[in-house]
Structures are given as structure tokens and as C-alpha cells.
Amino acid sequence: MGAWQFQSKLIMDLVGPENDLAAMEALIRGQGASDVTVLRNDGVSRTTVETALHALGLRSRLGDWIFLYYTGHGALAEAAVKGTRDGDTDQFLPLPGFDPDVKDAERFIVDKDFYTWLSLYVPKGVQVLMMADTCHSGTLHRSVDPRVMGMTPRLTLGARNVELGSRPAPRFASVLASADAAPVSATRDDLPNLYYISAALDDQIAWENALPVEGAPTRGFLTWSFEQGMSTPRADGKGMAADQDGDGTLSIGELGAYLNVQVRMLSGQRQESSTIIPPGREGQPLFATVPPPPAPPVPPPLPGLYVADVKARASVSGDHPWRILTDGQGADFVWDARAQAMLRRTGDIVAQNVKTPAQVRGVIDKWAALEALRPLLSERGARLMVGPLDNGARYPSGAPVTLALAQTGDGSVAPGPRYATVFNIASDGTVQRLFPVAASDGKGELAAGQSLPVLESQVIPPFGADHVVALVTAQPPDDFRLLLRMVENQRAAARLVAPIRDLMVKAGAQASLSVGELYTGN
């Protein structure tokens, strides 16, 4: 299901859901789905959605999967019944034609409606993957700079206090035997066959943008990550990218972990996907999990750079690894030469004191390196955490900052020693070693379950975006650490990509790669 044309003065139209819906239909059919129902725009209503779910339930058989997907806007409303475990607000989908003053139940669906329909209409032996690439609620941790155009939130109605009015009871009888039928008040925790993936946490906004670079179709971050995870090969050219342990089977737990780290990186930490899995079912294999055929690497398109100042634009024209744009709509980078600031398409000032073409190149090369590393990210063994503020927050001048490497584990990483190698890529692309550095760091071995405090510091100018990279391996990566010493204090992030890829491929599921993003500025 997808809605992007809302016919409303209150709800802006979207661009990405049309592309998302087409991509997801092609992907699911490629996974072997032959019974596909697609609803779009005016075709999405309470009646059509409930009817389609009921019909799918009737046609489904033991061992089948149902993939319930929606892309579009999301919003919050006052809960009809407050004080329950679901909170005092209802998460709902405003559908085309929705008007909060009319309260037409055909024009909205509350999250509880989905769970009620699924509990009544889908046999318990049928697995359901429900994915919503939409906001349910959200606040801005960091504003989007108006000099960058392209980032669009999938949140509607803002802070308006919405009351939805009454909703009709289920229109069809349960397809389950009466003894197995779940109560109509069922919530997501009551359904042992339901796996739910949301685009953002409850205090975040879901976004869409041109992916992967300016000029590409606009997509939702969650949907694009899902498509990439199931349709592109891993770093070793085998299997699907989301199958991070390389065993040829994609579990729902693996998928959730893959989507989380990808969405965080694509959104500049503004957005973090969430996966709800029935207890003990993290290892449930997903769909047919047909590995994609190995594909030859395709060079990424050159990023688009917009420079308003004519003189500065002339200085960066010519033979460079970017395209010069005539306006800033959807640009990957904006160089505000007068303010000496570089901005990225996520709406952030990512570097300050950028005065020369060489500095411009340092910033763009850094982000190209990060984009090359993004498909390799795996936090199955360790995750780098930025604190003490919430993930995605912007740290003002003078604020304390902590970076900690926390070991994780899902049971698939073999027991044994783990060695951490941590370095920073500064806003201008300069590489700085963080661990191990001192003699007391030894070989960087982590004690079992140890959370390693990598850095305690304070924000000072110049502001922008720093990226701390943590590589955790089963053996000390001596050659890579020697390379880090050689390039330290140089704008040399690009030189680190191939060695990291080689290490990840060689180590397979036993290596972890995590990136902590730190955004600073007043």
C-alpha cells in the first residue's frame, strides 16, 4: 500500500512512496510471491485494506508469509481509551482525503485496527511481516538547514491535537476456528506470528530523499535499505547484503539489525528503525531468501555540488570528482563560500572553515569513503555509541562528549578474544587514531562484555560532523593499524576503504564495523 497524493490543504503530497511501492512490488515478486495485492492513493481506504487482508487470510496456508507494507504519511491522535499499555495516543495513517474535522473513518487507519484484523483474519500458522515507512510520531533532534533542499519528513499535521472519532467494528467474521480466535482488543504483543518493522522510533521523524545521490529517485530510507539488503550482494560478492553471517539464510533478527544501522547512516542519525519480534523468534528465516546473483561493482555516480557564489563556483569547476549544479535542489553538497561552510543533503553543516577547493575536496572525499563503508557496516559484535545526549542530537560549543564501544552479541559470533581498532575521520576528512594508541592500550583486546570508553572530550570549533569508526576483529589487524599510523593527520579516508573491506571479507561474520556520528554546532 502506498499514498502520496492526499488531496488536502493540511497534508502535503510526497514523492518517494510512488518509487517505494514500485520497488517493493518488484522485490517481493522476485522473492517468489505470486499473490500480490497493490493499493495506491485513492485505492487505499479502511474498507479496501481490511477487505484485502481478509481475502489474503482466506487464501493463505500453513507456512506462508504475508508481507503487509505501507509507505506514506503517519501521525498521532488522542487515544479513544487512555491509560492502557499502548499509551494515551494512537498512531494512525491519514489516507487520501483525510480531514481531521470530518472524522470519516474510511480516511484513516489506527495501528490497533491492523492488529485486530491480523488477529482475526490471518491463521496463526501464517507468518506476517508488517513494515511501515512512515512517521508515527516525532520531534526534530536537529533542524534541516534551508540551504539544502530535498529532505522531506513523512510526518503530517505537526503538533495539531487530532481526535479521530469512532471506528467501525471488523466487518468480516474471523477466519480462525473459534477456539483459536484472538480477542478483538489484541495488540502487537499478542500476535506470536507478527514481525513489525517501523521506519523510526517514537521520538523521531521518518524522512525521504534522493538515494543514493542527487538526481536519483526520491525514496524512504527504510524502504531503500530493505531493498538494498535483499537485492545486493555482501562485500564478498556472495549472498544478500542483509545476511551478515553469510549462512545463506536471512533471519528476521539479522534484517532488523541491518536496517537499523543503514537507516541511521543514511539519515545522519536523525532516524533509527525499530523491529519488534516475538520472544525467541529472532532466528526465524525470512521469505524464500533467494540470494541475488553476484553483480560486478558499479562506480557510484559523482555527487552534485552547488555553489551560489560565481567566483567560488569557478574555482571548483573542471576536472573534479563532482558535478557542478546550477541550483541547490536536492544537491548532495552545498558550499556556502561566504560562510565558509559545507552542507550535505541531509540538511547539516558538515564542515566549517572551508575556504579552498582542496578543503572542499577533503570533505567530499570523506563522505565518499563513508558511503563506500556503509554497506559493510555490521554491529552484530559491537556498536559505537555517542553520548551523553540522545542519538542524533547536535552538540553545542562546550558540551561534553563521550564515545563508548559497547560489545553486543546475538550468539552467532564465535567465542574468543576481540580486538578493537578505533579512529576518527574529522569534518575535513583528516584521519586521527584513537585506540590503541598508548602503551597501556596493548593490542586493543577487549575483555568479555567490556564497554570501552574511547573518548571523553568537549566540543570546540570548528563545528561540523566527525565520524568515529570502530573495527572489531578476532585478530589484531597489524597491517591496517600500520596504515593508520602512516596516514594519521592526513585527509586520507579514501585510502582506508579497500583495506577495511578486505578485513571484513576475510573475517566474515566474526568482524564488526560500527560508525558513531557526532554533529556539532550552535
Side-chain angles (χ1 to χ4, degrees), residues 429-454:
T430 299
V431 176
Q432 303 158 332
R433 289 186 303 140
L434 296 179
F435 183 86
V437 176
S440 58
D441 296 336
K443 294 184 177 181
E445 184 172 356
L446 301 175
Q450 177 184 4
S451 178
L452 178 67
V454 176

Side-chain angles (χ1 to χ4, degrees), residues 36-299:
V36 180
T37 301
V38 179
L39 304 175
R40 54 174 60 85
N41 288 331
D42 288 343
V44 185
S45 69
R46 175 180 295 273
T47 296
T48 60
V49 173
E50 183 180 2
T51 301
L53 278 178
H54 179 257
L56 281 173
L58 289 174
R59 297 195 297 270
S60 62
R61 297 293 181 266
L62 182 67
D64 286 347
W65 274 91
I66 289 178
F67 181 51
L68 176 57
Y69 170 75
Y70 180 78
T71 174
H73 275 304
L76 284 180
E78 294 289 327
V81 179
K82 298 184 178 180
T84 69
R85 63 176 174 174
D86 290 324
D88 294 338
T89 56
D90 280 333
Q91 301 167 350
F92 76 99
L93 304 180
L95 305 178
F98 175 78
D99 186 333
D101 297 322
V102 174
K103 298 181 173 60
D104 179 3
E106 280 294 297
R107 302 293 99 204
F108 66 87
I109 300 175
V110 177
D111 58 351
K112 297 180 179 68
D113 295 326
F114 283 112
Y115 298 113
T116 297
W117 297 339
L118 291 171
S119 70
L120 292 174
Y121 303 150
V122 177
K124 288 185 171 61
V126 174
Q127 308 299 318
V128 179
L129 176 63
M130 181 177 176
M131 191 167 88
D133 198 346
T134 172
C135 287
H136 282 169
S137 63
T139 55
L140 281 170
H141 286 306
R142 306 193 310 276
S143 62
V144 173
D145 196 293
R147 287 171 289 185
V148 177
M149 297 172 281
M151 284 278 284
T152 302
R154 291 185 171 183
L155 174 72
T156 186
L157 303 174
R160 175 170 177 163
N161 188 25
V162 177
E163 295 181 4
L164 294 174
S166 60
R167 312 192 307 275
R171 66 181 61 244
F172 304 109
S174 174
V175 304
L176 285 71
S178 58
D180 295 330
V184 170
S185 61
T187 62
R188 70 183 72 176
D189 295 328
D190 296 321
L191 303 180
N193 59 334
L194 174 62
Y195 307 82
Y196 178 72
I197 301 175
S198 63
L201 302 181
D202 283 347
D203 64 344
Q204 297 173 342
I205 289 175
W207 297 86
E208 64 176 37
N209 202 345
L211 293 174
V213 296
E214 179 270 333
T218 297
R219 300 291 300 277
F221 293 148
L222 177 65
T223 303
W224 193 80
S225 297
F226 185 90
E227 179 192 7
Q228 294 296 298
M230 298 187 71
S231 63
T232 60
R234 298 193 310 273
D236 59 6
K238 304 174 183 177
M240 56 181 66
D243 177 19
Q244 296 191 321
D245 64 5
D247 66 353
T249 300
L250 177 62
S251 70
I252 188 68
E254 276 184 301
L255 176 64
Y258 172 86
L259 293 176
N260 182 277
V261 67
Q262 294 296 313
V263 168
R264 292 199 330 260
M265 285 293 289
L266 289 167
S267 65
Q269 304 296 316
R270 285 187 173 87
Q271 181 181 336
E272 183 168 354
S273 68
S274 174
T275 304
I276 297 175
I277 304 172
R281 304 293 295 277
E282 290 80 6
Q284 170 68 50
L286 184 68
F287 302 153
T289 61
V290 178
V298 178

Side-chain angles (χ1 to χ4, degrees), residues 288-366:
T289 61
V290 178
V298 178
L302 294 178
L305 172 65
Y306 173 65
V307 185
D309 182 87
V310 176
K311 183 177 180 180
R313 186 188 309 168
S315 71
V316 293
S317 299
D319 186 16
H320 295 292
W322 55 71
R323 296 170 292 117
I324 296 296
L325 306 180
T326 57
D327 63 64
Q329 180 63 46
D332 295 300
F333 295 94
V334 174
W335 181 28
D336 187 336
R338 294 181 180 180
Q340 299 178 357
M342 284 284 289
L343 299 92
R344 196 166 178 263
R345 64 173 182 267
T346 53
D348 291 299
I349 298 176
V350 295
Q352 292 190 346
N353 292 347
V354 181
K355 306 174 184 178
T356 68
Q359 291 171 317
V360 170
R361 177 155 190 164
V363 175
I364 293 180
D365 283 351
K366 165 196 168 162

Side-chain angles (χ1 to χ4, degrees), residues 370-520:
L370 289 170
E371 180 61 25
L373 289 177
R374 182 183 53 74
L376 307 177
L377 294 177
S378 173
E379 295 179 340
R380 297 170 58 251
R383 176 177 173 179
L384 198 58
M385 304 292 294
V386 178
L389 301 181
D390 290 340
N391 188 42
R394 183 176 293 279
Y395 286 72
S397 180
V401 178
T402 59
L403 286 157
L405 180 63
Q407 291 193 75
T408 60
D410 59 4
S412 61
V413 178
R418 289 289 178 272
Y419 298 87
T421 305
V422 187
F423 61 93
N424 182 50
I425 307 177
S427 60
D428 66 351
T430 299
V431 176
Q432 303 158 332
R433 289 186 303 140
L434 296 179
F435 183 86
V437 176
S440 58
D441 296 336
K443 294 184 177 181
E445 184 172 356
L446 301 175
Q450 177 184 4
S451 178
L452 178 67
V454 176
L455 176 68
E456 294 183 3
S457 187
Q458 191 177 63
V459 173
I460 60 173
F463 304 126
D466 280 52
H467 289 76
V468 180
V469 182
L471 177 67
V472 179
T473 53
Q475 299 291 334
D478 295 330
D479 291 343
F480 179 70
R481 288 174 176 177
L482 176 60
L483 175 61
L484 280 176
R485 289 195 293 270
M486 292 173 56
V487 302
E488 188 168 24
N489 297 321
Q490 300 178 31
R491 299 191 192 107
R495 293 184 59 183
L496 305 178
V497 173
I500 291 177
R501 179 184 291 109
D502 292 342
L503 281 168
M504 296 295 290
V505 170
K506 182 178 180 180
Q510 304 309 311
S512 296
L513 182 66
S514 181
V515 175
E517 295 186 78
L518 174 62
Y519 290 84
T520 62

